[in-house]
Coordinates of all heavy atoms in Angstrom, one line a residue:
M1 N 0.9 -1.2 0.1 CA 0.0 0.0 0.0 C 0.8 1.2 0.0 O 1.7 1.4 0.8 CB -0.9 0.1 1.2 CG -2.1 -0.8 1.2 SD -3.0 -0.6 2.7 CE -4.7 -0.8 2.1
P2 N 0.6 2.1 -0.9 CA 1.4 3.4 -0.9 C 1.1 4.2 0.4 O 0.0 4.3 0.9 CB 0.9 4.2 -2.1 CG 0.0 3.2 -2.9 CD -0.3 2.1 -2.0
K3 N 2.2 4.7 1.0 CA 2.1 5.5 2.2 C 2.1 7.0 1.8 O 2.9 7.3 0.9 CB 3.3 5.2 3.1 CG 3.2 3.8 3.8 CD 4.1 3.8 4.9 CE 4.1 2.3 5.6 NZ 2.7 1.9 6.0
I4 N 1.3 7.8 2.4 CA 1.3 9.2 2.1 C 1.5 9.9 3.5 O 0.9 9.5 4.5 CB 0.0 9.7 1.5 CG1 -0.3 8.9 0.1 CG2 -0.1 11.2 1.3 CD1 -1.6 9.2 -0.5
K5 N 2.4 10.9 3.4 CA 2.6 11.7 4.7 C 1.9 13.0 4.5 O 2.2 13.8 3.6 CB 4.1 11.9 4.9 CG 4.4 12.7 6.2 CD 5.9 13.0 6.4 CE 6.7 11.8 6.8 NZ 8.1 12.2 7.1
F6 N 1.0 13.3 5.5 CA 0.4 14.6 5.5 C 1.1 15.4 6.7 O 1.2 14.8 7.8 CB -1.1 14.5 5.8 CG -1.9 13.8 4.7 CD1 -2.0 12.4 4.7 CD2 -2.5 14.5 3.8 CE1 -2.8 11.7 3.7 CE2 -3.3 13.9 2.7 CZ -3.4 12.5 2.7
I7 N 1.4 16.6 6.4 CA 2.0 17.4 7.5 C 1.1 18.7 7.7 O 0.9 19.4 6.8 CB 3.4 17.9 7.0 CG1 4.2 16.7 6.8 CG2 4.0 18.7 8.2 CD1 5.7 17.0 6.2
E8 N 0.6 18.7 8.9 CA -0.2 19.9 9.3 C 0.6 21.1 9.4 O 1.8 21.1 9.5 CB -0.8 19.6 10.7 CG -1.9 18.5 10.7 CD -2.6 18.4 12.0 OE1 -3.3 19.3 12.4 OE2 -2.4 17.4 12.7
A9 N -0.1 22.3 9.3 CA 0.7 23.6 9.5 C 1.4 23.7 10.8 O 2.5 24.3 10.8 CB -0.4 24.7 9.3
S10 N 0.9 22.9 11.8 CA 1.6 23.0 13.1 C 2.9 22.1 13.0 O 3.7 22.1 13.9 CB 0.7 22.3 14.1 OG 0.5 20.9 13.9
G11 N 3.1 21.3 12.0 CA 4.2 20.4 11.9 C 3.9 18.9 12.2 O 4.7 18.1 12.0
E12 N 2.7 18.8 12.8 CA 2.4 17.4 13.1 C 2.2 16.5 11.9 O 1.6 16.9 10.9 CB 1.1 17.4 14.0 CG 0.7 16.0 14.4 CD -0.3 16.0 15.6 OE1 -0.7 17.1 16.1 OE2 -0.9 14.9 15.9
E13 N 2.8 15.3 12.0 CA 2.7 14.5 10.8 C 1.8 13.3 10.9 O 1.6 12.8 12.0 CB 4.2 13.9 10.4 CG 5.2 15.0 10.2 CD 6.5 14.5 9.9 OE1 6.7 13.2 10.0 OE2 7.5 15.3 9.6
H14 N 1.2 12.9 9.8 CA 0.3 11.7 9.8 C 0.7 10.9 8.5 O 0.6 11.4 7.4 CB -1.1 12.2 9.6 CG -1.6 13.1 10.6 ND1 -2.3 12.8 11.8 CD2 -1.5 14.6 10.6 CE1 -2.6 13.9 12.5 NE2 -2.1 15.0 11.8
V15 N 1.2 9.7 8.7 CA 1.5 8.8 7.7 C 0.4 7.8 7.6 O 0.0 7.1 8.6 CB 2.9 8.1 8.0 CG1 3.2 7.1 6.8 CG2 3.9 9.2 8.1
V16 N -0.2 7.7 6.4 CA -1.3 6.9 6.2 C -1.1 5.9 5.2 O -0.3 6.1 4.1 CB -2.7 7.7 5.9 CG1 -2.8 8.7 7.0 CG2 -2.7 8.2 4.5
D17 N -1.8 4.7 5.2 CA -1.7 3.7 4.1 C -2.8 4.1 3.2 O -4.1 4.1 3.6 CB -2.0 2.4 4.6 CG -0.7 1.8 5.3 OD1 0.4 2.0 4.9 OD2 -0.9 1.2 6.5
A18 N -2.5 4.3 2.0 CA -3.6 4.7 0.9 C -3.7 3.5 0.0 O -3.0 2.5 0.0 CB -3.1 5.9 0.1
T19 N -4.8 3.6 -0.8 CA -5.1 2.5 -1.7 C -5.0 3.0 -3.1 O -5.5 4.1 -3.4 CB -6.5 2.0 -1.5 OG1 -6.6 1.5 -0.2 CG2 -6.9 0.9 -2.5
A20 N -4.2 2.3 -4.0 CA -4.1 2.7 -5.4 C -5.5 2.9 -6.0 O -6.4 2.1 -5.8 CB -3.3 1.8 -6.1
G21 N -5.7 4.0 -6.6 CA -7.0 4.3 -7.3 C -7.8 5.3 -6.6 O -8.7 6.0 -7.1
Q22 N -7.6 5.4 -5.2 CA -8.4 6.4 -4.5 C -7.6 7.8 -4.6 O -6.5 7.8 -5.0 CB -8.6 6.0 -3.1 CG -7.3 6.1 -2.1 CD -7.7 5.7 -0.7 OE1 -6.7 5.5 0.0 NE2 -8.9 5.7 -0.3
S23 N -8.4 8.8 -4.2 CA -7.7 10.1 -4.2 C -7.0 10.3 -2.9 O -7.2 9.7 -1.9 CB -8.7 11.2 -4.4 OG -9.5 11.4 -3.2
V24 N -6.0 11.2 -3.0 CA -5.2 11.7 -1.8 C -6.2 12.1 -0.8 O -6.0 11.9 0.5 CB -4.2 12.6 -2.2 CG1 -3.4 13.2 -1.0 CG2 -3.1 11.9 -3.1
M25 N -7.2 12.9 -1.2 CA -8.2 13.5 -0.2 C -8.9 12.3 0.4 O -9.1 12.3 1.7 CB -9.2 14.3 -1.0 CG -10.4 14.8 -0.2 SD -11.7 13.6 -0.1 CE -12.7 13.9 -1.6
Q26 N -9.3 11.3 -0.3 CA -10.0 10.2 0.2 C -9.1 9.4 1.3 O -9.6 9.0 2.4 CB -10.5 9.2 -0.8 CG -11.6 8.2 -0.2 CD -12.8 9.0 0.3 OE1 -13.4 9.8 -0.4 NE2 -13.2 8.8 1.5
A27 N -7.8 9.3 1.0 CA -7.0 8.7 2.0 C -6.9 9.5 3.2 O -6.8 9.0 4.3 CB -5.6 8.5 1.3
A28 N -6.9 10.8 3.2 CA -6.9 11.7 4.3 C -8.2 11.4 5.1 O -8.2 11.3 6.3 CB -6.6 13.1 4.0
M29 N -9.3 11.5 4.4 CA -10.6 11.4 5.1 C -10.8 10.0 5.8 O -11.3 9.9 6.9 CB -11.7 11.5 4.1 CG -11.8 12.9 3.4 SD -12.0 14.3 4.4 CE -13.7 14.2 4.7
D30 N -10.3 8.9 5.1 CA -10.4 7.6 5.6 C -9.6 7.4 6.9 O -9.9 6.6 7.8 CB -9.9 6.6 4.7 CG -10.9 6.3 3.5 OD1 -11.9 6.9 3.5 OD2 -10.4 5.6 2.5
N31 N -8.5 8.3 7.1 CA -7.7 8.2 8.2 C -7.7 9.4 9.1 O -7.0 9.6 10.0 CB -6.2 8.1 7.7 CG -6.0 6.7 7.1 OD1 -5.7 5.7 7.7 ND2 -6.0 6.7 5.8
L32 N -8.8 10.1 9.0 CA -9.2 11.2 9.9 C -8.1 12.1 10.0 O -7.8 12.7 11.1 CB -9.6 10.7 11.3 CG -10.8 9.7 11.3 CD1 -11.1 9.1 12.7 CD2 -12.0 10.2 10.7
V33 N -7.4 12.5 9.0 CA -6.3 13.5 9.0 C -7.0 14.9 9.1 O -7.9 15.2 8.3 CB -5.5 13.4 7.7 CG1 -4.5 14.6 7.6 CG2 -4.8 12.1 7.5
P34 N -6.6 15.6 10.2 CA -7.2 17.0 10.3 C -6.8 17.9 9.2 O -5.7 17.9 8.7 CB -6.6 17.4 11.7 CG -6.0 16.3 12.3 CD -5.6 15.3 11.2
G35 N -7.7 18.8 8.9 CA -7.4 19.9 8.0 C -7.8 19.7 6.6 O -7.6 20.6 5.7
I36 N -8.2 18.6 6.2 CA -8.8 18.3 4.9 C -10.3 18.2 5.1 O -10.9 17.3 5.6 CB -8.3 16.9 4.3 CG1 -6.9 16.9 4.3 CG2 -9.0 16.7 2.9 CD1 -6.2 17.8 3.2
V37 N -11.0 19.2 4.5 CA -12.4 19.4 4.7 C -13.2 18.7 3.6 O -14.2 17.9 3.9 CB -12.8 20.8 4.8 CG1 -14.3 21.0 5.1 CG2 -12.0 21.6 6.0
A38 N -12.9 18.9 2.4 CA -13.5 18.2 1.3 C -15.0 18.4 1.2 O -15.8 17.4 1.1 CB -13.1 16.7 1.3
E39 N -15.4 19.6 1.3 CA -16.8 19.9 1.3 C -17.6 19.4 0.2 O -18.8 19.0 0.3 CB -17.1 21.5 1.4 CG -17.2 22.0 2.8 CD -17.4 23.5 2.8 OE1 -17.6 24.1 1.8 OE2 -17.3 24.0 3.9
C40 N -17.1 19.4 -1.1 CA -17.8 19.0 -2.2 C -17.7 17.5 -2.5 O -18.3 17.0 -3.4 CB -17.4 19.7 -3.4 SG -15.8 19.2 -4.2
G41 N -17.0 16.8 -1.7 CA -16.9 15.3 -1.8 C -16.0 14.9 -2.9 O -16.1 13.8 -3.3
G42 N -15.2 15.8 -3.4 CA -14.1 15.3 -4.5 C -14.4 15.7 -5.9 O -13.9 15.1 -6.8
Y43 N -15.3 16.7 -6.1 CA -15.7 17.1 -7.5 C -15.0 18.4 -7.9 O -15.4 19.0 -8.9 CB -17.2 17.3 -7.5 CG -17.9 16.0 -7.3 CD1 -18.4 15.6 -6.2 CD2 -18.0 15.1 -8.5 CE1 -19.0 14.4 -6.0 CE2 -18.6 13.9 -8.3 CZ -19.1 13.5 -7.0 OH -19.7 12.3 -6.9
A44 N -13.8 18.7 -7.3 CA -13.1 19.9 -7.7 C -13.9 21.1 -7.7 O -13.8 22.0 -8.6 CB -12.4 19.7 -9.1
N45 N -14.7 21.2 -6.7 CA -15.8 22.3 -6.6 C -15.7 23.2 -5.4 O -16.7 23.9 -5.2 CB -17.2 21.7 -6.9 CG -18.1 22.7 -7.5 OD1 -17.7 23.6 -8.2 ND2 -19.4 22.4 -7.3
C46 N -14.8 22.9 -4.5 CA -14.9 23.7 -3.3 C -13.5 24.2 -2.8 O -13.4 25.1 -2.0 CB -15.5 22.8 -2.2 SG -14.4 21.5 -1.5
A47 N -12.4 23.5 -3.2 CA -11.1 23.9 -2.9 C -10.7 23.7 -1.3 O -9.8 24.2 -0.8 CB -10.7 25.3 -3.2
T48 N -11.6 23.0 -0.6 CA -11.3 22.7 0.8 C -10.5 21.4 1.1 O -10.5 21.0 2.2 CB -12.6 22.8 1.7 OG1 -13.4 21.7 1.2 CG2 -13.3 24.1 1.6
C49 N -10.0 20.9 0.0 CA -9.1 19.7 0.1 C -7.6 20.2 -0.3 O -6.9 19.4 -0.6 CB -9.5 18.6 -0.7 SG -9.5 18.9 -2.5
H50 N -7.3 21.5 -0.3 CA -6.1 22.1 -0.7 C -5.0 21.5 0.0 O -5.0 21.5 1.3 CB -6.3 23.7 -0.5 CG -5.1 24.4 -0.8 ND1 -4.8 25.6 -0.1 CD2 -4.0 24.2 -1.7 CE1 -3.7 26.1 -0.6 NE2 -3.2 25.4 -1.5
V51 N -3.9 21.2 -0.7 CA -2.6 20.8 -0.1 C -1.5 21.4 -0.9 O -1.6 21.8 -2.0 CB -2.4 19.3 0.0 CG1 -3.4 18.6 0.8 CG2 -2.4 18.6 -1.5
Y52 N -0.3 21.4 -0.3 CA 1.0 21.9 -1.0 C 1.7 20.6 -1.1 O 2.1 19.8 -0.2 CB 1.7 22.8 0.0 CG 0.9 24.0 0.4 CD1 0.6 24.3 1.8 CD2 0.6 25.0 -0.6 CE1 0.0 25.5 2.1 CE2 -0.1 26.1 -0.2 CZ -0.4 26.3 1.1 OH -1.1 27.5 1.4
V53 N 2.0 20.3 -2.3 CA 2.9 19.1 -2.6 C 4.3 19.4 -2.4 O 4.9 20.4 -2.9 CB 2.6 18.7 -4.2 CG1 3.5 17.5 -4.5 CG2 1.2 18.3 -4.3
D54 N 5.0 18.5 -1.7 CA 6.4 18.6 -1.4 C 7.2 18.7 -2.7 O 6.9 18.1 -3.8 CB 6.9 17.4 -0.6 CG 8.3 17.5 -0.2 OD1 8.5 18.1 0.9 OD2 9.2 17.1 -0.9
A55 N 8.2 19.6 -2.6 CA 9.0 19.9 -3.9 C 9.6 18.7 -4.5 O 9.7 18.6 -5.8 CB 10.1 20.8 -3.5
A56 N 9.8 17.6 -3.8 CA 10.4 16.4 -4.4 C 9.4 15.6 -5.2 O 9.8 14.7 -6.0 CB 11.0 15.5 -3.2
W57 N 8.1 16.0 -5.1 CA 7.1 15.2 -5.6 C 6.3 16.0 -6.7 O 5.5 15.4 -7.5 CB 6.1 14.7 -4.6 CG 6.7 13.7 -3.8 CD1 7.4 13.8 -2.6 CD2 6.7 12.3 -4.1 NE1 7.8 12.6 -2.1 CE2 7.4 11.6 -3.0 CE3 6.2 11.5 -5.1 CZ2 7.6 10.3 -3.1 CZ3 6.4 10.1 -5.1 CH2 7.1 9.5 -4.1
T58 N 6.5 17.3 -6.9 CA 5.7 18.0 -7.8 C 5.8 17.5 -9.2 O 4.8 17.5 -9.9 CB 6.0 19.5 -7.7 OG1 7.4 19.7 -7.9 CG2 5.6 20.1 -6.4
D59 N 7.0 17.1 -9.6 CA 7.2 16.6 -11.0 C 6.6 15.2 -11.2 O 6.6 14.7 -12.3 CB 8.6 16.7 -11.5 CG 9.0 18.2 -11.7 OD1 8.2 19.1 -11.7 OD2 10.3 18.4 -11.6
E60 N 6.3 14.5 -10.1 CA 5.8 13.1 -10.2 C 4.4 13.1 -10.5 O 3.9 12.0 -10.7 CB 6.2 12.4 -9.0 CG 7.6 12.4 -8.5 CD 8.6 11.8 -9.6 OE1 8.2 10.9 -10.2 OE2 9.7 12.5 -9.7
L61 N 3.7 14.1 -10.3 CA 2.2 14.2 -10.4 C 1.8 14.8 -11.8 O 2.5 15.7 -12.4 CB 1.7 15.1 -9.3 CG 1.9 14.6 -7.9 CD1 1.6 15.7 -7.0 CD2 1.1 13.4 -7.6
P62 N 0.7 14.2 -12.3 CA 0.2 14.8 -13.6 C -0.1 16.3 -13.4 O -0.6 16.7 -12.3 CB -1.1 14.0 -13.9 CG -1.0 12.8 -13.0 CD -0.2 13.2 -11.8
R63 N 0.0 17.1 -14.4 CA -0.4 18.5 -14.4 C -1.9 18.6 -14.0 O -2.7 17.7 -14.5 CB -0.1 19.2 -15.7 CG 1.4 19.2 -16.1 CD 2.3 19.6 -15.1 NE 2.0 20.9 -14.5 CZ 2.3 21.3 -13.3 NH1 3.0 20.5 -12.4 NH2 2.0 22.5 -12.8
P64 N -2.3 19.6 -13.4 CA -3.7 19.8 -13.1 C -4.5 20.0 -14.4 O -4.1 20.6 -15.3 CB -3.8 21.0 -12.2 CG -2.5 21.7 -12.3 CD -1.5 20.7 -12.7
E65 N -5.8 19.4 -14.4 CA -6.7 19.7 -15.5 C -7.3 21.1 -15.3 O -7.1 21.7 -14.2 CB -7.8 18.7 -15.5 CG -7.1 17.3 -15.7 CD -8.0 16.3 -16.5 OE1 -9.1 16.7 -17.0 OE2 -7.5 15.2 -16.6
A66 N -7.9 21.6 -16.3 CA -8.4 23.0 -16.3 C -9.4 23.3 -15.1 O -9.2 24.3 -14.5 CB -9.1 23.4 -17.6
N67 N -10.2 22.3 -14.7 CA -11.1 22.6 -13.6 C -10.4 22.7 -12.4 O -10.8 23.5 -11.5 CB -12.3 21.6 -13.6 CG -11.7 20.2 -13.5 OD1 -10.6 19.9 -13.7 ND2 -12.6 19.3 -13.1
E68 N -9.4 21.8 -12.2 CA -8.6 21.9 -10.9 C -7.8 23.2 -10.9 O -7.8 23.9 -9.8 CB -7.7 20.8 -10.8 CG -6.9 20.8 -9.5 CD -5.8 19.8 -9.3 OE1 -5.7 18.9 -10.1 OE2 -4.9 20.0 -8.4
A69 N -7.2 23.5 -12.0 CA -6.4 24.8 -12.0 C -7.2 26.0 -11.7 O -6.8 26.9 -11.1 CB -5.8 25.0 -13.4
A70 N -8.5 26.0 -12.2 CA -9.4 27.2 -11.9 C -9.8 27.2 -10.5 O -9.7 28.3 -9.9 CB -10.6 27.1 -12.8
M71 N -10.1 26.0 -10.0 CA -10.6 26.0 -8.6 C -9.6 26.2 -7.6 O -9.8 26.9 -6.5 CB -11.4 24.7 -8.3 CG -12.1 24.5 -7.0 SD -13.2 25.9 -6.6 CE -14.5 25.7 -7.8
V72 N -8.4 25.7 -7.8 CA -7.4 25.9 -6.8 C -7.1 27.4 -6.5 O -6.6 27.7 -5.4 CB -6.1 25.0 -7.1 CG1 -5.2 25.7 -8.2 CG2 -5.3 24.6 -5.8
E73 N -7.3 28.2 -7.5 CA -7.0 29.6 -7.3 C -8.0 30.2 -6.1 O -7.7 31.3 -5.7 CB -7.3 30.3 -8.6 CG -6.2 30.0 -9.6 CD -4.8 30.4 -9.2 OE1 -4.6 31.4 -8.6 OE2 -4.0 29.6 -9.6
C74 N -9.0 29.4 -5.9 CA -10.0 30.0 -4.9 C -9.5 29.5 -3.5 O -10.2 29.9 -2.5 CB -11.4 29.4 -5.1 SG -12.1 29.8 -6.8
A75 N -8.5 28.7 -3.4 CA -8.1 28.2 -2.1 C -7.4 29.3 -1.3 O -7.0 30.4 -1.8 CB -7.1 27.0 -2.3
F76 N -7.2 29.1 0.0 CA -6.5 30.0 0.9 C -5.0 29.9 0.7 O -4.4 28.8 0.7 CB -7.0 29.7 2.3 CG -6.4 30.5 3.5 CD1 -6.8 31.9 3.5 CD2 -5.6 30.1 4.4 CE1 -6.4 32.7 4.4 CE2 -5.1 30.9 5.5 CZ -5.6 32.2 5.5
E77 N -4.3 31.0 0.6 CA -2.9 31.1 0.5 C -2.3 30.2 -0.5 O -1.5 29.3 -0.3 CB -2.3 30.9 1.9 CG -2.6 31.9 2.8 CD -1.9 31.8 4.3 OE1 -1.6 30.7 4.6 OE2 -1.9 32.8 5.0
V78 N -2.7 30.4 -1.8 CA -2.2 29.6 -2.9 C -0.8 29.7 -3.1 O -0.3 30.9 -3.1 CB -3.1 29.9 -4.1 CG1 -2.6 29.1 -5.3 CG2 -4.6 29.7 -3.8
Q79 N -0.1 28.7 -3.4 CA 1.3 28.7 -3.8 C 1.5 28.0 -5.1 O 0.6 27.3 -5.6 CB 2.2 28.0 -2.7 CG 2.1 28.7 -1.4 CD 2.9 28.0 -0.3 OE1 3.6 27.0 -0.5 NE2 2.7 28.4 0.9
A80 N 2.7 28.0 -5.6 CA 3.0 27.3 -7.0 C 2.7 25.9 -6.8 O 2.4 25.2 -7.8 CB 4.4 27.6 -7.3
N81 N 2.9 25.3 -5.7 CA 2.8 23.8 -5.5 C 1.4 23.4 -4.9 O 1.2 22.3 -4.5 CB 3.9 23.2 -4.6 CG 3.9 23.9 -3.2 OD1 3.3 24.9 -3.0 ND2 4.6 23.2 -2.3
S82 N 0.4 24.4 -5.0 CA -0.9 24.1 -4.5 C -1.6 23.1 -5.4 O -1.6 23.3 -6.6 CB -1.7 25.4 -4.4 OG -1.3 26.2 -3.4
R83 N -2.3 22.1 -4.8 CA -3.2 21.3 -5.6 C -4.4 20.9 -4.8 O -4.4 21.1 -3.5 CB -2.4 19.9 -5.8 CG -1.1 19.9 -6.7 CD -1.4 20.4 -8.1 NE -2.3 19.5 -8.8 CZ -1.9 18.5 -9.7 NH1 -0.6 18.4 -9.9 NH2 -2.7 17.8 -10.4
L84 N -5.4 20.4 -5.5 CA -6.6 19.9 -4.8 C -6.4 18.4 -4.6 O -6.3 17.6 -5.7 CB -7.8 20.2 -5.7 CG -8.2 21.6 -6.0 CD1 -9.4 21.7 -6.8 CD2 -8.3 22.4 -4.7
S85 N -6.3 18.0 -3.4 CA -6.0 16.6 -3.1 C -7.1 15.6 -3.6 O -6.7 14.5 -3.9 CB -5.7 16.3 -1.7 OG -6.9 16.6 -0.9
C86 N -8.3 16.1 -4.0 CA -9.3 15.2 -4.5 C -9.0 14.9 -5.9 O -9.6 13.9 -6.6 CB -10.7 15.7 -4.3 SG -11.1 17.2 -5.4
Q87 N -8.1 15.6 -6.6 CA -7.7 15.4 -8.0 C -6.4 14.6 -8.1 O -6.0 14.5 -9.3 CB -7.8 16.7 -8.7 CG -9.0 17.5 -8.6 CD -10.2 16.7 -9.2 OE1 -10.2 16.3 -10.4 NE2 -11.2 16.4 -8.4
L88 N -5.9 14.3 -7.0 CA -4.6 13.5 -7.1 C -4.9 12.0 -6.9 O -5.3 11.7 -5.7 CB -3.6 14.0 -6.0 CG -3.3 15.6 -6.1 CD1 -2.4 15.9 -4.9 CD2 -2.6 15.8 -7.4
T89 N -4.7 11.2 -7.8 CA -5.0 9.8 -7.7 C -3.8 9.1 -7.2 O -2.7 9.2 -7.7 CB -5.4 9.2 -9.1 OG1 -6.6 9.9 -9.5 CG2 -5.7 7.7 -9.0
V90 N -4.0 8.2 -6.2 CA -2.9 7.5 -5.6 C -2.5 6.4 -6.6 O -3.4 5.6 -7.1 CB -3.4 6.8 -4.2 CG1 -2.3 5.9 -3.6 CG2 -3.8 7.9 -3.3
T91 N -1.2 6.2 -6.8 CA -0.7 5.1 -7.6 C 0.5 4.4 -6.8 O 1.1 5.1 -5.8 CB -0.1 5.6 -8.9 OG1 1.0 6.5 -8.7 CG2 -1.2 6.4 -9.7
P92 N 0.9 3.3 -7.1 CA 2.0 2.7 -6.4 C 3.2 3.6 -6.4 O 4.1 3.6 -5.6 CB 2.2 1.4 -7.1 CG 0.9 1.1 -7.7 CD 0.3 2.4 -8.1
E93 N 3.4 4.3 -7.6 CA 4.6 5.1 -7.7 C 4.6 6.3 -6.8 O 5.7 6.9 -6.5 CB 4.7 5.7 -9.2 CG 5.0 4.7 -10.2 CD 3.7 3.7 -10.5 OE1 2.6 4.2 -10.3 OE2 3.9 2.5 -10.8
L94 N 3.5 6.5 -6.1 CA 3.4 7.8 -5.2 C 3.7 7.3 -3.8 O 3.5 8.1 -3.0 CB 2.1 8.4 -5.4 CG 1.8 9.2 -6.6 CD1 0.5 9.9 -6.6 CD2 2.9 10.1 -7.0
D95 N 4.2 6.1 -3.5 CA 4.5 5.7 -2.3 C 5.6 6.5 -1.7 O 6.6 6.8 -2.3 CB 5.1 4.2 -2.3 CG 5.5 3.7 -0.9 OD1 4.7 4.1 0.1 OD2 6.4 2.9 -0.8
G96 N 5.3 7.2 -0.5 CA 6.2 8.1 0.1 C 5.8 9.6 -0.2 O 6.5 10.5 0.3
L97 N 4.6 9.8 -1.0 CA 4.3 11.2 -1.2 C 4.1 12.0 0.1 O 3.6 11.6 1.1 CB 3.0 11.1 -2.0 CG 2.3 12.4 -2.3 CD1 3.1 13.3 -3.3 CD2 0.9 12.3 -2.8
I98 N 4.6 13.2 -0.1 CA 4.5 14.1 1.1 C 3.7 15.4 0.7 O 4.0 16.0 -0.4 CB 5.8 14.6 1.6 CG1 6.7 13.4 2.0 CG2 5.7 15.6 2.7 CD1 8.2 13.8 2.3
V99 N 2.6 15.7 1.4 CA 1.9 16.9 1.2 C 1.7 17.6 2.5 O 1.6 17.0 3.5 CB 0.4 16.6 0.5 CG1 0.6 15.9 -0.8 CG2 -0.4 15.8 1.4
R100 N 1.7 18.9 2.4 CA 1.4 19.7 3.5 C 0.1 20.3 3.5 O -0.4 20.7 2.4 CB 2.5 20.8 3.7 CG 3.9 20.3 4.0 CD 5.0 21.3 3.9 NE 6.3 20.7 4.3 CZ 7.0 19.9 3.7 NH1 6.7 19.7 2.4 NH2 8.1 19.3 4.2
I101 N -0.6 20.5 4.7 CA -1.9 21.1 4.8 C -1.8 22.5 5.2 O -1.1 22.9 6.1 CB -2.7 20.2 5.9 CG1 -2.8 18.8 5.5 CG2 -4.1 20.8 6.0 CD1 -3.3 17.8 6.5
P102 N -2.6 23.4 4.5 CA -2.5 24.8 4.8 C -3.1 25.0 6.2 O -3.8 24.2 6.8 CB -3.3 25.5 3.7 CG -4.1 24.4 3.1 CD -3.4 23.1 3.3
S103 N -2.8 26.2 6.7 CA -3.2 26.6 8.1 C -4.7 26.7 8.1 O -5.4 26.6 9.2 CB -2.6 27.9 8.6 OG -2.8 28.9 7.7
S104 N -5.4 26.9 7.0 CA -6.8 27.1 7.0 C -7.3 26.6 5.5 O -6.6 26.8 4.6 CB -7.3 28.5 7.1 OG -8.6 28.6 7.0
Q105 N -8.4 26.2 5.5 CA -9.1 25.8 4.2 C -10.0 26.9 3.7 O -10.6 26.8 2.7 CB -9.8 24.4 4.3 CG -8.9 23.3 4.4 CD -8.1 22.9 3.2 OE1 -8.1 23.7 2.1 NE2 -7.3 21.8 3.3
M106 N -10.2 27.9 4.5 CA -11.1 29.0 4.2 C -10.3 30.3 4.1 O -9.5 30.6 4.9 CB -12.2 29.2 5.3 CG -12.9 27.9 5.6 SD -13.9 27.3 4.2 CE -14.5 25.7 4.8
G107 N -10.7 31.1 3.2 CA -10.0 32.5 3.0 C -10.6 33.5 3.9 O -11.4 33.2 4.7
Ligands
FES201 FE1 -13.9 19.7 -3.0 FE2 -11.5 18.7 -3.5 S1 -13.1 18.0 -2.3 S2 -12.4 20.5 -4.4

């Protein structure tokens, strides 16, 4: 099972076992990781699943599709490595993925 490390803004880390095929957001929800709200349930329509992808992993992920790119701009404190975790599909190659959770999901 691919492991994903979520790091809260406080620095607290959560390493979870994810399942290939599910979204990074769903892996967080299944493991009660704080700070991932996912109000829309994964439809790239709320930006409350916003994460910052660790620099070592940004090139390993597919580029965002247009709907994700548009919606992530609505997130709080957007950075160049901002992604919507509901649009990131877990694959075996993403074992060890590190994402950081912003201090807030609301602007
Ligand atoms: Fe709503 Fe990801 S869960 S945009």
Side-chain angles (χ1 to χ4, degrees):
M1 278 184 149
K3 290 192 184 304
I4 301 176
K5 182 186 285 187
F6 295 87
I7 306 176
E8 293 185 67
S10 66
E12 187 162 346
E13 299 184 357
H14 306 266
V15 178
V16 308
D17 288 319
T19 302
Q22 74 176 164
S23 69
V24 171
M25 174 277 275
Q26 195 61 56
M29 300 299 277
D30 287 353
N31 291 279
L32 305 177
V33 174
I36 302 290
V37 179
E39 263 177 14
C40 78
Y43 293 98
N45 205 25
C46 73
T48 62
C49 64
H50 174 209
V51 294
Y52 303 116
V53 176
D54 185 84
W57 289 93
T58 52
D59 290 342
E60 307 300 321
L61 297 168
R63 304 305 309 153
E65 301 213 2
N67 59 341
E68 180 189 349
M71 184 51 66
V72 80
E73 292 299 322
C74 301
F76 185 61
E77 295 184 343
V78 177
Q79 300 177 5
N81 59 344
S82 289
R83 296 295 300 262
L84 298 181
S85 59
C86 70
Q87 301 302 300
L88 303 176
T89 302
V90 175
T91 64
E93 293 74 27
L94 293 184
D95 183 34
L97 175 68
I98 300 170
V99 299
R100 292 178 172 78
I101 301 170
S103 58
S104 173
Q105 292 288 6
M106 306 295 173

